[in-house]
Amino acid sequence: MKINKTLCTIVFAIVCSLNGAAQNENELIEDGTIQIDTSKKFAWDMSFTLKTMNVFRGLIPSKAPVFSTQAGVKYGDFIIGAYGGSSFNGGYTETDLILLYYRPKFNVRFDWYYNFTEGITNIPSASGFFDFNPEVTRGLLDFMFNVKLTKHLDFNSSTLLFGRDRPSLPEDDANNIQLRRGEQRYSQYANLQYTWKFNKSKIQTHVGYSFSWQDFNGPSFYGNKPGFTDLGVSFYKVILDTKTISIPFKASFIVNTVSNNVYLVGSILLLELSKI
């Protein structure tokens, strides 16, 4: 049927785009450096990172340089974490809360993203971090899971379950009002990740596809139509590594085929207190 045909096409296209295997770093924070050590029942870590810009699944939360702080506590198979980011020009500010259940072959995760940046939604004023009214909130609830398909190949899925993943109403757009929202789109993002590791370096590729469960052919949070919104290759290099401090550099080349944009992003971890 139509739904099954669409999903099969997505999976087939992603699989055909890869020709090898990847080593997943099991990172607590996406695009971060906090590691999970399954040999410890209790562990913690925090880090400080500088990025030339912020690109999230093919979207740009900030075109200006960004500094971010990440922290996490692990107890047993559960991890509670937080992310905070802000741009140098003050235009972008974000705080996220993270809850993760980790197993060696898979993990399940919920994130509550809250972006304070002005102009990102059709609601002009931020109503607060814990405002869960979907008609006005700037928050997004993201349900994610990761499955290790082989020793080197991972499948990652993200579904936006609640929050501002709602379009403004067409009648409001026509009258330039834009103070109401339509139905939840349940935007889906899925990718396969493939990595080569050598010495203290790593090359990682990923293919990301997005669509809306509410309308398979319509717009989603990631674009005005379904498509490959996040095709990328990243190069990691550890430039300083001691028993107490590790400073890696990452350069990423990202293509969004839906918006026809290309990004080159550099990031450097300035402080890592421990490796959990």
Side-chain angles (χ1 to χ4, degrees):
M1 300 194 357
K2 185 176 181 180
I3 292 178
N4 291 335
K5 183 179 179 181
T6 302
L7 294 179
C8 288
T9 301
I10 292 168
V11 173
F12 179 77
I14 293 176
V15 171
C16 287
S17 299
L18 299 175
N19 183 28
Q23 176 63 43
N24 181 266
E25 288 284 293
N26 295 323
E27 292 173 347
L28 170 59
I29 309 296
E30 181 176 323
D31 201 26
T33 52
I34 298 178
Q35 306 297 314
I36 298 170
D37 185 347
T38 56
S39 66
K40 297 180 180 179
K41 185 175 182 180
F42 174 82
W44 68 279
D45 199 12
M46 58 193 301
S47 66
F48 180 78
T49 305
L50 175 65
K51 302 178 183 180
T52 57
M53 65 189 301
N54 195 13
V55 179
F56 175 73
R57 299 173 185 170
L59 303 180
I60 314 178
S62 174
K63 295 180 180 179
V66 169
F67 51 86
S68 64
T69 303
Q70 303 163 91
V73 175
K74 173 183 178 291
Y75 184 80
D77 296 330
F78 289 91
I79 296 168
I80 296 176
Y83 165 91
S86 181
S87 64
F88 280 32
N89 64 3
Y92 158 80
T93 306
E94 180 177 355
T95 302
D96 305 334
L97 298 180
I98 298 134
L99 175 63
L100 186 148
Y101 175 75
Y102 172 83
R103 299 297 297 161
K105 296 294 184 181
F106 72 94
N107 60 69
V108 178
R109 171 174 168 174
F110 287 93
D111 281 25
W112 176 249
Y113 308 126
Y114 196 87
N115 195 321
F116 296 90
T117 308
E118 295 296 327
I120 61 168
T121 78
N122 63 317
I123 308 298
S125 300
S127 54
F129 189 89
F130 295 106
D131 184 354
F132 301 118
N133 180 354
E135 291 298 322
V136 296
T137 185
R138 293 194 176 200
L140 281 168
L141 180 62
D142 192 357
F143 167 68
M144 292 168 279
F145 67 87
N146 167 274
V147 179
K148 185 172 288 296
L149 301 176
T150 70
K151 181 181 178 181
H152 302 290
L153 183 63
D154 289 77
F155 173 75
N156 303 281
S157 171
S158 160
T159 309
L160 300 180
L161 298 179
F162 178 82
R164 64 181 176 92
D165 181 27
R166 294 165 174 254
S168 56
L169 296 178
E171 55 267 34
D172 287 0
D173 292 339
N175 294 293
N176 200 29
I177 300 174
Q178 299 185 3
L179 291 178
R180 297 181 296 168
R181 290 174 173 169
E183 295 182 0
Q184 193 79 38
R185 289 180 292 201
Y186 301 102
S187 295
Q188 175 69 39
Y189 171 84
N191 81 23
L192 281 175
Q193 192 169 269
Y194 172 40
T195 306
W196 298 267
K197 295 186 74 176
F198 51 95
N199 299 325
K200 294 182 179 180
S201 301
K202 177 175 68 173
I203 297 176
Q204 184 178 79
T205 63
H206 70 271
V207 178
Y209 190 95
S210 63
F211 63 95
S212 165
W213 287 105
Q214 192 264 339
D215 181 359
F216 288 100
N217 297 313
S220 72
F221 182 78
Y222 304 99
N224 58 10
K225 62 181 179 180
F228 292 97
T229 50
D230 187 18
L231 308 176
V233 57
S234 298
F235 175 76
Y236 299 76
K237 175 70 175 179
V238 177
I239 56 179
L240 176 64
D241 190 20
T242 69
K243 290 183 179 180
T244 56
I245 252 186
S246 176
I247 301 181
F249 172 77
K250 174 185 175 184
S252 300
F253 182 78
I254 301 164
V255 178
N256 185 329
T257 65
V258 174
S259 64
N260 293 320
N261 286 318
V262 177
Y263 313 109
L264 180 63
V265 184
S267 62
I268 186 169
L269 181 71
L270 300 180
L271 175 64
E272 183 178 24
L273 297 186
S274 63
K275 296 180 181 179
I276 66 174

